[in-house]
Amino acid sequence: MAQDYIKVQALILLAIAMAISCHNSVGASMVFVARDSVAVLPCVMSSPTKHSTAVIWKRIVDGEERTVWRRDKSGLEFRAVGQASKVYCPHPNFGSSDFSLHIQETREEDAGMYRCEVEGQNPKNVMLYVISVSVTPDVVYEGGRLTLTCNITPHTSAKTTKWELNGSLITSRSSMLTYTIDKVFQKDAGTWSCLIGSKQTEAKISTLVQVRGILVPKDNSEVVYAQLGSSVTLPCIFSSELYFSSSSWNRVSKMSNLPDKLPSSFNVSSNRRFSLCSSMGVDRSAYIESVQNGDEGTYRCSGAVAADNGMNIKVERNIQLVTAQVLSSHKNGKTTLTCRISNTSQVINYEWIHVGYGVNNTQIFTSVQNSSSKILSIPKDKHLSEWVCRFYNKQQLLGNATSHLQMMSGLEGKQQATSVNKVALIIGLCFLVLLLVLILLQLYKNQRRRKMIFQYPAMETIVHLAANEREFKERVKAREKVQSGANLKSELV
Ligand SMILES: *[C@@H]1O[C@H](CO)[C@@H](O)[C@H](O)[C@H]1NC(C)=O
Ligand SMILES: *[C@@H]1O[C@H](CO)[C@@H](O)[C@H](O)[C@H]1NC(C)=O
Ligand SMILES: *[C@@H]1O[C@H](CO)[C@@H](O)[C@H](O)[C@H]1NC(C)=O
Ligand SMILES: *[C@@H]1O[C@H](CO)[C@@H](O)[C@H](O)[C@H]1NC(C)=O
Ligand SMILES: *[C@@H]1O[C@H](CO)[C@@H](O)[C@H](O)[C@H]1NC(C)=O
Ligand SMILES: *[C@@H]1O[C@H](CO)[C@@H](O)[C@H](O)[C@H]1NC(C)=O
């Protein structure tokens, strides 16, 4: 008994399957077409027909046949009144084998069964499905819910459905006519497409979904790199419909939930409106004129608005500021540079570039090291050059920092100069002191000598007198000699 029951069930299933396949072979090809596009209903004969073949395209509505397009043996074309302007057959030439019917701007009311009848051939049935996509709610907000629905007319279960965003397949939750996102993020914005069809034909229908909220940055993963001392912009652009005046910036402290102080040169741009791709934005980006040590960390841009549905929504973005600088150190006559980045979690490569100067002061960049090492040993001859550290993640350049070696060496030079001056000063001072000591010594000597003379005043007079007497005697002697000489001469003359 049980076996019979199973047999009966199997037979019934087989009958149903046959009915479906029969229906399919009779109903034949299925065509899926996106609303508003051109539908092509195939009717291709295996061999070219003789000239002046009669062709009739019919539509079957509730078992009734209505002619849509017809060509007589004489070559005259006829169109039905209703669809007349939209329906045409582009290949009704003599010797053609293709009598496919084209329908422009296909609408849901065009969907249904069509039949192509060519004289002397088996009629061909074509089922036309029209698909469209709808988005609910009409206005999508960040954090809200989004439902995409692919509508298919007439309804059918014999199809496969796929969903794409910006041309990329969304793998999860496919083969469903509805796609729901419970919590919408900015990354869910874009061109959504529903792909539906069979093996033979596939139709794609797309719709643009905009998400009101903060358009830039799209999520909390934004990291901005800035060299110490340079200026930086922390981006924050609201959808123009969303933004009222209630936006603010603050700092998110690592340690506590208390906000840190904003940098002194922190400045939020005025509500400049501008077009951003397909949507309008209001710029509330922040600007730091000169990034200082300690400014690194997370900043938060937030805004609160009343949505169309009366609900209050708060949107916010965290933006991380990472600072970079080149530090130099001198040891044993060697100079090394270190590329210091306040958060290296994204950095995987450091490129060191030597900056030279050519004709007309044009900069010449020469890459000297490209590795995971943040340290560079500088050759002696390049000691006074400028160096740039470029840092990369896996895909791209993140930022750069420039050494201020020239400035530093300048300072060093100055320091050396001052030390030289000091030495000179010290030597000079010593010399001065020595001179002073010598002078004092001399003065002291003179003083002592004078004191000694004052002790024996007569002695000096005696010495003086003795000297004078001796001089006088010598002079008299000399005069006598000259006089005797002159006398001798006169005697001889
Ligand atoms: C899709 O493109 C839109 C704009 O063209 C963009 O805003 C959105 O982020 C893109 N989404 C993805 C997932 O690529
Ligand atoms: C802030 O930036 C605006 C331009 O964006 C500028 O006009 C203004 O002077 C800046 N204010 C300060 C204090 O830097
Ligand atoms: C460093 O950056 C990563 C992401 O870029 C972040 O997750 C991490 O918290 C940061 N570390 C610090 C100490 O800020
Ligand atoms: C240098 O500058 C001068 C004038 O500014 C120009 O004529 C010349 O072509 C420049 N030379 C180079 C190599 O760029
Ligand atoms: C250095 O490495 C980065 C990342 O690997 C790469 O993008 C860059 O082109 C390299 N530079 C040179 C000069 O090879
Ligand atoms: C360093 O970064 C700045 C700003 O991004 C850029 O203008 C400059 O050309 C970069 N310098 C080098 C040597 O890469």
Side-chain angles (χ1 to χ4, degrees), residues 393-417:
N393 66 4
K394 260 180 218 150
Q395 298 95 30
Q396 60 182 7
L397 179 68
L398 296 172
N400 67 44
T402 307
S403 74
H404 296 291
L405 211 64
Q406 255 171 343
M407 209 178 79
M408 277 164 27
S409 61
L411 276 176
E412 221 169 76
K414 262 185 211 163
Q415 272 170 359
Q416 269 175 9

mmCIF file of all heavy atoms in Angstrom, residues 393-417:
data_model
loop_
_atom_site.group_PDB
_atom_site.id
_atom_site.type_symbol
_atom_site.label_atom_id
_atom_site.label_comp_id
_atom_site.label_asym_id
_atom_site.label_seq_id
_atom_site.Cartn_x
_atom_site.Cartn_y
_atom_site.Cartn_z
ATOM 1 N N ASN A 393 51.427 52.806 2.663
ATOM 2 C CA ASN A 393 50.784 51.570 3.130
ATOM 3 C C ASN A 393 50.903 50.574 1.980
ATOM 4 O O ASN A 393 51.705 50.769 1.076
ATOM 5 C CB ASN A 393 49.337 51.818 3.569
ATOM 6 C CG ASN A 393 48.417 52.216 2.431
ATOM 7 O OD1 ASN A 393 48.826 52.246 1.270
ATOM 8 N ND2 ASN A 393 47.198 52.524 2.743
ATOM 9 N N LYS A 394 50.088 49.518 2.009
ATOM 10 C CA LYS A 394 50.226 48.486 0.978
ATOM 11 C C LYS A 394 49.994 49.039 -0.426
ATOM 12 O O LYS A 394 50.648 48.644 -1.374
ATOM 13 C CB LYS A 394 49.242 47.357 1.249
ATOM 14 C CG LYS A 394 49.898 46.167 1.926
ATOM 15 C CD LYS A 394 48.867 45.067 2.160
ATOM 16 C CE LYS A 394 49.122 44.394 3.493
ATOM 17 N NZ LYS A 394 47.913 43.885 4.107
ATOM 18 N N GLN A 395 49.026 49.963 -0.540
ATOM 19 C CA GLN A 395 48.629 50.403 -1.879
ATOM 20 C C GLN A 395 49.211 51.744 -2.293
ATOM 21 O O GLN A 395 49.473 51.967 -3.458
ATOM 22 C CB GLN A 395 47.105 50.506 -1.984
ATOM 23 C CG GLN A 395 46.352 49.217 -1.787
ATOM 24 C CD GLN A 395 45.878 49.041 -0.363
ATOM 25 O OE1 GLN A 395 45.602 50.018 0.320
ATOM 26 N NE2 GLN A 395 45.806 47.813 0.090
ATOM 27 N N GLN A 396 49.361 52.672 -1.341
ATOM 28 C CA GLN A 396 49.607 54.036 -1.791
ATOM 29 C C GLN A 396 50.491 54.854 -0.839
ATOM 30 O O GLN A 396 50.766 54.442 0.280
ATOM 31 C CB GLN A 396 48.269 54.756 -1.979
ATOM 32 C CG GLN A 396 47.492 54.791 -0.680
ATOM 33 C CD GLN A 396 46.151 55.456 -0.833
ATOM 34 O OE1 GLN A 396 45.735 55.783 -1.916
ATOM 35 N NE2 GLN A 396 45.484 55.667 0.275
ATOM 36 N N LEU A 397 50.847 56.030 -1.342
ATOM 37 C CA LEU A 397 51.620 56.983 -0.561
ATOM 38 C C LEU A 397 50.693 57.590 0.484
ATOM 39 O O LEU A 397 49.592 58.039 0.173
ATOM 40 C CB LEU A 397 52.136 58.073 -1.505
ATOM 41 C CG LEU A 397 52.960 59.197 -0.897
ATOM 42 C CD1 LEU A 397 54.287 58.681 -0.403
ATOM 43 C CD2 LEU A 397 53.182 60.303 -1.906
ATOM 44 N N LEU A 398 51.135 57.601 1.727
ATOM 45 C CA LEU A 398 50.304 58.175 2.791
ATOM 46 C C LEU A 398 50.694 59.624 3.079
ATOM 47 O O LEU A 398 49.844 60.462 3.317
ATOM 48 C CB LEU A 398 50.453 57.352 4.069
ATOM 49 C CG LEU A 398 49.969 55.904 4.011
ATOM 50 C CD1 LEU A 398 50.357 55.163 5.274
ATOM 51 C CD2 LEU A 398 48.466 55.848 3.825
ATOM 52 N N GLY A 399 51.983 59.910 3.038
ATOM 53 C CA GLY A 399 52.423 61.274 3.321
ATOM 54 C C GLY A 399 53.927 61.361 3.299
ATOM 55 O O GLY A 399 54.606 60.411 2.914
ATOM 56 N N ASN A 400 54.435 62.508 3.692
ATOM 57 C CA ASN A 400 55.886 62.667 3.741
ATOM 58 C C ASN A 400 56.292 63.640 4.839
ATOM 59 O O ASN A 400 55.459 64.372 5.359
ATOM 60 C CB ASN A 400 56.433 63.085 2.375
ATOM 61 C CG ASN A 400 55.993 64.467 1.968
ATOM 62 O OD1 ASN A 400 56.016 65.406 2.771
ATOM 63 N ND2 ASN A 400 55.596 64.632 0.709
ATOM 64 N N ALA A 401 57.567 63.608 5.175
ATOM 65 C CA ALA A 401 58.114 64.557 6.146
ATOM 66 C C ALA A 401 59.495 64.945 5.660
ATOM 67 O O ALA A 401 60.211 64.129 5.088
ATOM 68 C CB ALA A 401 58.186 63.931 7.524
ATOM 69 N N THR A 402 59.855 66.217 5.870
ATOM 70 C CA THR A 402 61.124 66.733 5.379
ATOM 71 C C THR A 402 62.053 66.997 6.554
ATOM 72 O O THR A 402 61.617 67.499 7.584
ATOM 73 C CB THR A 402 60.879 68.027 4.599
ATOM 74 O OG1 THR A 402 59.901 67.774 3.603
ATOM 75 C CG2 THR A 402 62.137 68.525 3.936
ATOM 76 N N SER A 403 63.330 66.651 6.353
ATOM 77 C CA SER A 403 64.307 66.931 7.403
ATOM 78 C C SER A 403 64.672 68.395 7.341
ATOM 79 O O SER A 403 64.659 69.001 6.277
ATOM 80 C CB SER A 403 65.564 66.104 7.173
ATOM 81 O OG SER A 403 66.290 66.651 6.100
ATOM 82 N N HIS A 404 64.975 68.947 8.484
ATOM 83 C CA HIS A 404 65.433 70.334 8.501
ATOM 84 C C HIS A 404 66.906 70.351 8.884
ATOM 85 O O HIS A 404 67.327 71.087 9.739
ATOM 86 C CB HIS A 404 64.579 71.157 9.444
ATOM 87 C CG HIS A 404 63.173 71.232 8.979
ATOM 88 N ND1 HIS A 404 62.815 71.929 7.856
ATOM 89 C CD2 HIS A 404 62.048 70.669 9.451
ATOM 90 C CE1 HIS A 404 61.521 71.791 7.662
ATOM 91 N NE2 HIS A 404 61.028 71.031 8.610
ATOM 92 N N LEU A 405 67.622 69.466 8.194
ATOM 93 C CA LEU A 405 69.021 69.263 8.521
ATOM 94 C C LEU A 405 69.826 70.521 8.280
ATOM 95 O O LEU A 405 70.676 70.880 9.076
ATOM 96 C CB LEU A 405 69.566 68.117 7.675
ATOM 97 C CG LEU A 405 70.674 67.317 8.339
ATOM 98 C CD1 LEU A 405 70.133 66.642 9.568
ATOM 99 C CD2 LEU A 405 71.214 66.289 7.380
ATOM 100 N N GLN A 406 69.511 71.199 7.168
ATOM 101 C CA GLN A 406 70.261 72.404 6.825
ATOM 102 C C GLN A 406 70.170 73.410 7.949
ATOM 103 O O GLN A 406 71.154 73.980 8.370
ATOM 104 C CB GLN A 406 69.696 72.996 5.545
ATOM 105 C CG GLN A 406 70.587 72.735 4.369
ATOM 106 C CD GLN A 406 69.931 73.136 3.065
ATOM 107 O OE1 GLN A 406 68.724 73.315 2.981
ATOM 108 N NE2 GLN A 406 70.727 73.266 2.055
ATOM 109 N N MET A 407 68.944 73.549 8.426
ATOM 110 C CA MET A 407 68.704 74.482 9.510
ATOM 111 C C MET A 407 69.473 74.024 10.741
ATOM 112 O O MET A 407 70.127 74.811 11.407
ATOM 113 C CB MET A 407 67.212 74.505 9.809
ATOM 114 C CG MET A 407 66.728 75.797 10.341
ATOM 115 S SD MET A 407 64.968 75.680 10.590
ATOM 116 C CE MET A 407 64.916 74.778 12.112
ATOM 117 N N MET A 408 69.376 72.703 10.992
ATOM 118 C CA MET A 408 70.029 72.180 12.179
ATOM 119 C C MET A 408 71.529 72.344 12.092
ATOM 120 O O MET A 408 72.167 72.732 13.063
ATOM 121 C CB MET A 408 69.681 70.704 12.344
ATOM 122 C CG MET A 408 68.340 70.532 13.026
ATOM 123 S SD MET A 408 67.651 68.916 12.862
ATOM 124 C CE MET A 408 69.069 67.928 12.652
ATOM 125 N N SER A 409 72.081 72.061 10.906
ATOM 126 C CA SER A 409 73.531 72.191 10.757
ATOM 127 C C SER A 409 73.909 73.655 10.899
ATOM 128 O O SER A 409 74.956 73.988 11.425
ATOM 129 C CB SER A 409 73.987 71.627 9.417
ATOM 130 O OG SER A 409 73.387 72.333 8.370
ATOM 131 N N GLY A 410 73.030 74.524 10.446
ATOM 132 C CA GLY A 410 73.253 75.946 10.626
ATOM 133 C C GLY A 410 73.357 76.281 12.100
ATOM 134 O O GLY A 410 74.297 76.950 12.531
ATOM 135 N N LEU A 411 72.423 75.754 12.869
ATOM 136 C CA LEU A 411 72.426 75.986 14.306
ATOM 137 C C LEU A 411 73.715 75.468 14.918
ATOM 138 O O LEU A 411 74.353 76.125 15.722
ATOM 139 C CB LEU A 411 71.244 75.258 14.955
ATOM 140 C CG LEU A 411 69.916 76.015 14.934
ATOM 141 C CD1 LEU A 411 68.828 75.151 15.525
ATOM 142 C CD2 LEU A 411 70.038 77.318 15.704
ATOM 143 N N GLU A 412 74.055 74.234 14.469
ATOM 144 C CA GLU A 412 75.274 73.610 14.951
ATOM 145 C C GLU A 412 76.461 74.530 14.692
ATOM 146 O O GLU A 412 77.292 74.752 15.556
ATOM 147 C CB GLU A 412 75.472 72.315 14.178
ATOM 148 C CG GLU A 412 75.950 71.167 15.004
ATOM 149 C CD GLU A 412 75.852 69.901 14.206
ATOM 150 O OE1 GLU A 412 76.715 69.712 13.341
ATOM 151 O OE2 GLU A 412 74.905 69.135 14.422
ATOM 152 N N GLY A 413 76.513 75.061 13.459
ATOM 153 C CA GLY A 413 77.577 75.971 13.055
ATOM 154 C C GLY A 413 77.635 77.154 14.008
ATOM 155 O O GLY A 413 78.696 77.511 14.503
ATOM 156 N N LYS A 414 76.461 77.690 14.288
ATOM 157 C CA LYS A 414 76.387 78.834 15.178
ATOM 158 C C LYS A 414 76.919 78.468 16.552
ATOM 159 O O LYS A 414 77.692 79.193 17.148
ATOM 160 C CB LYS A 414 74.932 79.282 15.306
ATOM 161 C CG LYS A 414 74.606 80.448 14.382
ATOM 162 C CD LYS A 414 73.199 80.919 14.644
ATOM 163 C CE LYS A 414 72.578 81.470 13.381
ATOM 164 N NZ LYS A 414 71.134 81.567 13.489
ATOM 165 N N GLN A 415 76.467 77.253 16.987
ATOM 166 C CA GLN A 415 76.908 76.812 18.303
ATOM 167 C C GLN A 415 78.424 76.690 18.338
ATOM 168 O O GLN A 415 79.070 77.136 19.272
ATOM 169 C CB GLN A 415 76.272 75.470 18.644
ATOM 170 C CG GLN A 415 74.927 75.666 19.321
ATOM 171 C CD GLN A 415 74.154 74.370 19.449
ATOM 172 O OE1 GLN A 415 74.627 73.331 19.003
ATOM 173 N NE2 GLN A 415 72.989 74.460 20.022
ATOM 174 N N GLN A 416 78.986 76.113 17.253
ATOM 175 C CA GLN A 416 80.446 75.966 17.166
ATOM 176 C C GLN A 416 81.097 77.344 17.220
ATOM 177 O O GLN A 416 82.044 77.552 17.950
ATOM 178 C CB GLN A 416 80.820 75.272 15.863
ATOM 179 C CG GLN A 416 80.898 73.763 16.035
ATOM 180 C CD GLN A 416 81.147 73.058 14.730
ATOM 181 O OE1 GLN A 416 81.415 73.700 13.724
ATOM 182 N NE2 GLN A 416 81.038 71.757 14.753
ATOM 183 N N ALA A 417 80.498 78.267 16.468
ATOM 184 C CA ALA A 417 81.050 79.615 16.412
ATOM 185 C C ALA A 417 81.068 80.224 17.802
ATOM 186 O O ALA A 417 82.083 80.758 18.243
ATOM 187 C CB ALA A 417 80.216 80.466 15.473
#
